[in-house]
Every structure is written in C-alpha cells, then in structure tokens.
DNA sequence: AAAATTTCCGTGTGCGCCCACGAAAGTACA
DNA sequence: TGTACTTTCGTGGGCGCACACGGAAATTTT
C-alpha cells in the first residue's frame, strides 16, 4: 500500500484563495462565480491536471440513474435474447455502486402491441437511459421523439434503424459478417462448387439483416472471384417444419444432371439448425453448412460436425457493452462513438467452449 | 433519477441496538466484540443481505495498492508485447479510482539477467500484486517463494509454468489453439494433401508453446481422421533469414515425384510472416498458410491473402483481464479461478478490423 | 476491597466531494 | 441615504464507511 499525493478540491481552493464551494461551482458550471475568479480556477485545474475523485463525487452527489432495457422475451424457439440480459446484469453488477439501477422490459416480437405498451411503460418510469432493440421502426421513431424531448439517453442494440439517430448503436455489421462467412466458404470449397444461400424469413418482417448478410456474402465473391462458386438463393417464409423441408428438398434436388450437387449452404440467420436437422434426417453430411448464433440446437449440430462454423453476434457482449456505455456517458461523462461494432467471431467445434457464456458472472 | 432505499451500517446498528463502530468491527473481524453480539449482527447482515457500499468503503479506508507488471519489452521484431501493456493501462484507468496504481517493468527475453534484475526491483517497491510473464522458470520459482512469504498476489500472463502455483493464470490454451487451427485446415484441405507443421524456435528456449500447439494440431487429426492429411514437421532454430529460407526450401521441395506438392503450412507461432515472405518471393501462393498473432507484418500478409488465417492470443485482453483480476481480488474480495483461458479467436482478412486494437482506449 | 487489567463498545473525525443556505458586497432605484 | 435586489462567495452538514481513541463494565490480581 503506497500513498500518492492526490490533488483535491481543497488544495485547488487553497491555491486560488477561495473556498471549496466556489471550486465546485465552476467544476459543474453552476454559475454564481465572477468571471476572473472562474478563469483563475479553470487555469489552476488545467495546470494541476485536477480530476474530481469519481468515488467521492458519486458518493456525495447521491444521484440515482435508472436505465431501462427493452428486448424481445426469450422464447423457447430462440433463447438468443436471453443473452443480452446476461450482459445487462453483468454490467449492472459492476457499476451498480455508482447508483445505476437496471429495469428490464420485454416484448413479444410477433406482437407489435406488446412493444408499444412496453415503450409506454418505460416512459412512465422516467428512466435516464433506454437500451432497446428497435424492432418496429415506426413505433421506435415516435418513442425517440418523446425521449429526446425528455433528455433520455437512447441506445440501440443488435439492430439499428438508420433513418433516425440514437446516442450509440451496439451490434454487429451484418454486411461484413456476410463477407466473413463468404471468405470461409471460399477456403473450404473449390472452384465451380454450388452453394445455396438460404434465407429463412419471418412473415412478420425484421428480415433486413438477412438481406444485408447475403449482400456482404455476394460482395465478397464479386470482388475476389466472381466465377469461383455458383451461388443460388433460396427464400423460405415462415418456419413451418414442412415448408422448410419441402423448399430445401427442391433446392438440393439435382434435376439437371450436368450440374454438380450442392456442396455448401449458408443460412443467413440462426435458423440454420432447421437445415442441419433436414440434412441429418436425409443423411447428407458431405456439404459445408454455416449460419449464425450459438443457439443450443445450433451448437449441438456444430459439435456433431453437421455445421462447419457459426458466426457469433456476441449477444452477451452486446448487452454488456450497451449497458456500460450508459455508465460511461452518465457517470464518466465520456462521449460515445455513434456505432460500436462488435467483433465478428468465427465459431467452430474446436473453439466454441470459449464463447459459450456458461461461466458464472458473479 | 430514482431513489432506492439502501441498507447501511447505521441502519444495521439501529436494529441491533449497537453503534456503527461495532458493526464495522464484525464486518472486518477485528475482534473486540462479544460472541452473542457478534452473532446477532451477523444474522442481521445476512437477513438484510447487507453489503457495505463499495465506494464509501474504499473512500474511507484510503488504502493504496501497487501492482507491478513484468513483461518483455516490445522490440521491433515483435511488438506483440506492447499489447498487454495497452490492456494494463485500460484496466488501470478504469479502476484507478479505487486506489490501484500501476508500475510497469520490462525485461529483454534474450537476457535472463534483465529478468532477474527486474524481479529484484519489483520486490523493492513492495507491491501488493505482481503480474508477470514467467519466462525463465527457475528465476520465477525463486521469486514466487519470496513473494508468497510477503503475501504478494501473483498472476501469470500468457505463459504458465505448471510446476508452481500462482493465484491465477490468464492466457490461451496452446493445445486447444492447435486443434482450432487443425480444424480449419481440415475444412480447407482435401484428403491426401500434404501439410507442413513449421516450428520456428528461438535458441534461448521458451518454445514449450510450440510443442503444445503442434500436439493439439496432431491430436485433432488423430481423433477425427488420422489418414486425412500427410503431416510433416519442420523445426527451424534461430531466426536468421537465410537459415529459415534454406530449411523451407528443403521442406517444400518435391523430390519424390509420386508425392503431391505441399498444400498447407501451419506455423506454430507468430513468425509465420517469415514463411509468407518466403512464399511471396518464390511466387507460391497456391497453398493455405496459417499461424499466430496479429503482428503488423502478419496482418499485411493476411490482407494480401498470403496468410489464410491467424490465431489470435488476445494480448490486449490478457493484459486487461489480468489487471482486472487483481482488482477483483483485492478490492472486490472475490476469489479467482486458477486459470482464465481466453477465447481462441480465428482471424481472417474479413474480420480482422474488429480485432486490431487501434481503437482509442480513453 | 481497591487496584490493575481485560473485554467490550460508543464517539468523533475524516475520506473527497456535493449542495442548500445564507452572508457580504455591490448595484439600482427611490 | 436608505431600501431592494443582484452578484459572488463561504459555511456547514451530509454521503456511507473506516478507524483511532477513550470510557464503562466485567474480570482478574494483590
């Protein structure tokens, strides 16, 4: 235990021949300070490189911040959205001492009414910051206007609607993630191979991601080898088992004898397990399959080598980073970058253990 | 700004009909409390789930902790070791308020005397914790004995000598990283292809890593397809340009006409750029090359598609995590896991931008 | 039984900062 | 010259906790 001489408000006050209260006033620009005094103090602060002691400051101020989070409820189909919550809680535990309280809200992404209601509920709690996954852009837009008027800090997580602005966005660049997947297929496949791009869409919309990912995927090959693979896109709407099965069967069918069989399938979202299930039932394991996100059912297929690799969106980290961002802004008074893109992690059977957040966060 | 009723020492004191001082004494087991009183207070604390306010606590205690770090100086050959420093500093900035001071030390890994001297210097500063890369196991061993006697917390970073114990190790599992690389080669290469495992060693020792990585690499193929590839190992000692070139030339030579040319090279450390340089000069770009770490010269080859992928050791994160670990132990009083293995990140031309720590950490 | 300890516990001060309150000095207007 | 403001600044009481100090009660000593 060593001691380091710390510059304090009292010390500044002494050197400026004023009282601590005056220093405090200029630090927080609370006015009521004569211009020359203010200047003198400001200079001293700069010279001494004085920074208020964060702990003492938050302790004394006793401020309490409320941050509301709004993400889809994790249903059995996709426990993806359970993970940002873990990130929220981890962050909340870390910075809770600073008077930051977390209040989670959830909605059903099949029901825009639940989203609307949640937004109303959130406003009624008068939060200082809101972290939300902006499904339903129109509803989000209305909310943003109100929030801005109230000086509420807004953070987008996972998705972003580019037409309106938020403080910061935390998520993954979908176009780039498509490129990453493409590069791996480029390594794994050979010239002339056929590859299926499968978009398994929800009828409810929110499929912008998939398009961007496909765009990135095709971009890659356009720039690095337009004739390397034969790319075909299959769009499947809805997630009825039968329909998916049927469409896949057609896509994989080899009517034209002159063509090779499909040797790679890129699924543009986390529903890749549907395809893996299909391949398993039909005993087709001689092709390279890839998709998104570490859902339990995807992981299973990854371990069985039925899925070659997955792109992870780092959902836990998304939650963590977005929550920490409000801490940095509100408490540390830092300015935030407009977008915080998280790494596009490549997950295989061999490194997945390090990406599953089964570790305890205590 | 919401208010949350916080349980305080004063409140506990009220309910226990004692003064705050007494509560404080039982919290810190400072004795001088009658057994029944102590029990009553302990129960109250448990029932109320009371946790002392971390900020108030550290502010009042005024304790100061010194943490020394010892890693190789980043030389021009490898600026790898510059990155843990960035992690240290990032962490140091984050938890500096809690009275944690960072004092960095460096050594030259070609000169064990500098290591020994650094250890002496460190001891003379009487640190509360030491984070070090345990090159020179024998010297480290002696240091550990002394440190333990002084109650100094020890953390290993990047490397670990398994024969003696530290509080926690932060780094990557070398065996597993070998498996990860193997899996990718498995995807990229075809049955019967030849693959070279290249160990570019330093004469000074410290090559345990490489052996472990090769072990993991071979493990993979042993378990998943012993006859998939033809694996050959080449060991190169020293890093003289000429010698490396010569040995590689022999390794790649196709004397036996019946054999295919080499189609993959796995370099077990960051010196992969030597091989890339060689391939570039000899215009051989039809094989899959991979290695370790995002050195600038490796990144260049990665971008030029001469290196297919790199395994990252997350050096910045290693620094960050190790430093944060002393915070968690010393301030938060948490217990630490023996080993903190960081993810084995797969880096390609397409996702590297998210792993380069060119972002400002302010 | 008084003195000397020992055990047990309350009080007070301070960590560095925030902020409400009010005092002093300056300015305006009558 | 006196009243009513306004500007500028100092003071004091916290925030929740740590810890030194000293006092009262219980226990031991002679």
């Amino acid at each position: 235990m060593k001691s380091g001489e710390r510059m304090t408000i009292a010390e500044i006050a002494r050197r400026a021949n004023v009282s601590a209260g005056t220093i405090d006033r200029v630090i927080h620009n609370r006015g009521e300070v004569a211009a020359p005094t203010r200047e003198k103090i400001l200079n001293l602060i700069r010279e001494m490189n004085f920074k208020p002691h964060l702990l003492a400051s938050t302790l004394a101020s006793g401020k309490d911040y409320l941050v509301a989070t709004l993400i889809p409820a994790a249903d059995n189909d996709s426990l993806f959205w359970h993970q940002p919550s873990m990130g929220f809680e981890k962050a909340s535990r870390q910075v809770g001492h600073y008077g930051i309280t977390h209040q989670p809200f959830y909605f059903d992404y099949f029901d825009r009414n639940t989203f609307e209601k949640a937004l109303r509920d959130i406003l009624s709690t008068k939060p200082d910051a809101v972290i939300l996954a902006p499904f339903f852009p129109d509803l989000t837009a209305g909310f943003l206007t109100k929030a801005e008027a109230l000086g509420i800090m807004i953070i987008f997580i996972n998705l972003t609607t580019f037409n309106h602005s938020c403080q910061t966005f935390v998520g993954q660049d979908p176009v780039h993630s498509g490129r990453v997947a493409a590069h791996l297929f480029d390594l794994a496949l050979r010239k002339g191979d056929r590859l299926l791009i499968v978009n398994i869409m929800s009828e409810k919309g929110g499929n912008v991601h998939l398009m961007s990912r496909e765009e990135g995927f095709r971009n890659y090959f356009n720039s690095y080898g337009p004739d390397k693979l034969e790319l075909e896109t299959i769009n499947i709407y809805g997630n009825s088992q039968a329909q998916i099965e049927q469409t896949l069967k057609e896509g994989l069918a080899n009517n034209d004898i002159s063509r090779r069989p499909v040797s790679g399938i890129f699924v543009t979202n986390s529903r890749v397990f549907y395809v893996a299930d299909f391949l398993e039932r039909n005993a087709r394991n001689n092709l390279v399959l890839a998709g998104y996100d570490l859902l339990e059912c995807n992981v299973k297929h990854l371990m069985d080598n039925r899925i070659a690799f997955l792109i992870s969106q780092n959902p836990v980290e998304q939650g963590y980073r977005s929550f920490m961002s409000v801490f940095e802004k509100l408490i540390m008074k830092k300015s935030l970058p407009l977008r915080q893109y998280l790494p596009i992690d490549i997950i295989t059977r061999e490194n997945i253990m390090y990406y599953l957040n089964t570790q305890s966060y205590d």
Side-chain angles (χ1 to χ4, degrees), chain A:
Chain A
M1 312 177 187
K2 304 282 130 11
S3 76
E5 290 70 38
R6 187 168 223 302
M7 185 56 57
T8 71
I9 281 195
E11 178 60 22
I12 300 277
R14 206 166 302 127
R15 305 204 191 201
N17 285 319
V18 294
S19 76
T22 304
I23 310 290
D24 187 72
R25 270 184 288 266
V26 349
I27 289 180
H28 300 90
N29 331 285
R30 265 195 275 116
E32 308 196 355
V33 176
T37 318
R38 186 181 144 80
E39 282 312 311
K40 182 169 53 170
I41 292 174
L42 245 26
N43 283 332
L44 262 176
I45 289 182
R46 209 170 303 121
E47 286 169 24
M48 308 279 98
N49 190 27
F50 168 75
K51 298 262 182 290
H53 192 300
L54 186 62
L55 269 49
S57 172
T58 70
L59 180 62
S61 82
K63 280 206 192 78
D64 246 328
Y65 299 95
L66 181 62
V67 18
T69 56
L70 177 58
I71 56 175
D75 54 355
N76 45 350
D77 180 44
S78 154
L79 55 187
F80 176 86
W81 286 103
H82 179 245
Q83 306 197 59
S85 287
M86 296 174 58
F88 292 151
E89 277 155 32
K90 179 185 173 190
S92 172
R93 245 171 286 127
Q94 269 189 32
V95 300
H97 325 284
Y98 294 91
I100 298 187
T101 310
H102 174 212
Q103 181 157 2
F105 292 84
Y106 302 97
F107 68 97
D108 174 358
Y109 53 64
F110 288 133
D111 183 356
R112 52 179 279 135
N113 292 325
T114 62
F115 189 76
E116 197 166 14
K117 176 174 187 321
L119 288 181
R120 269 200 310 276
D121 291 349
I122 286 177
L123 273 185
S124 75
T125 66
K126 299 193 186 308
D128 299 277
V130 178
I131 301 172
L132 81 164
F135 282 67
F136 311 111
D138 53 331
L139 294 179
T140 304
F143 178 73
L144 282 185
T145 328
K146 291 182 209 156
E148 193 171 359
L150 294 167
I152 299 177
M153 175 180 178
I154 300 290
I155 294 183
F156 284 171
I157 184 177
N158 194 265
L159 325 165
T160 179
T161 66
F162 282 92
N163 24 357
H164 25 258
S165 69
C166 59
Q167 310 279 329
T168 190
F169 159 74
V170 177
Q172 187 173 69
D173 181 341
V175 178
H176 245 102
S177 76
R179 292 186 64 98
V180 172
H183 182 60
L184 290 174
F185 277 109
D186 189 12
L187 270 175
L189 301 186
R190 291 295 174 268
K191 184 163 168 58
D193 279 352
R194 279 179 65 200
L195 183 141
L196 246 47
I197 301 173
V198 176
N199 298 312
I200 304 181
M201 322 237 212
S202 142
E203 295 101 333
K204 306 285 177 173
N207 299 318
V208 202
H209 272 68
L210 315 201
M211 301 298 99
S212 304
R213 287 164 176 171
E214 179 176 351
E215 177 195 338
F217 193 88
R218 287 181 175 275
N219 269 353
Y220 174 90
F221 285 108
N222 283 339
S223 42
Y224 289 125
D227 49 352
K228 162 98 183 211
L229 300 182
E230 278 188 46
L231 303 182
E232 297 165 44
T233 298
I234 291 184
N235 293 318
I236 305 178
Y237 292 89
N239 53 359
S240 100
Q241 168 94 21
Q243 178 158 13
I244 293 175
E245 184 119 357
Q246 172 62 21
T247 323
L248 281 177
K249 201 160 278 174
E250 291 168 13
L252 289 176
N254 218 7
N255 310 327
D256 189 343
I257 317 254
S258 66
R259 299 177 68 189
R260 318 188 182 185
V262 169
S263 51
I265 301 183
F266 174 49
V267 183
T268 51
N269 65 1
S270 63
R271 312 239 195 258
V272 54
F273 62 90
Y274 284 129
V275 179
D277 286 344
F278 169 82
L279 296 179
E280 184 175 9
R281 275 195 302 275
N282 298 347
R284 295 219 26 188
N285 49 10
N286 51 343
L287 41 68
V288 178
L289 175 62
Y292 281 81
D293 298 331
L294 309 186
L295 306 191
E296 210 168 335
C297 34
N298 286 344
V299 170
K300 185 172 63 69
H301 287 299
L302 190 73
M303 298 309 289
D304 290 349
N305 213 21
R306 204 160 284 113
I307 293 179
F309 63 90
L310 291 167
I311 304 285
S312 166
Q313 287 196 74
N314 280 302
V316 178
E317 190 70 12
Q318 284 186 20
Y320 180 76
R321 286 277 283 271
S322 54
F323 203 97
M324 288 308 268
S325 290
V326 349
F327 167 72
E328 303 206 327
K329 183 78 193 299
L330 262 34
I331 310 284
M332 310 279 279
K333 278 94 170 69
K334 287 188 192 166
S335 59
L336 298 177
L338 266 174
R339 312 196 183 294
Q340 297 183 49
Y341 285 121
L342 295 185
I344 298 171
D345 288 328
I346 301 166
I347 314 296
T348 71
R349 176 174 49 174
E350 296 300 331
N351 69 352
I352 187 170
M353 66 195 61
Y354 300 105
Y355 295 89
L356 291 176
N357 291 91
T358 47
Q359 333 151 16
S360 61
Y361 275 121
D362 50 342

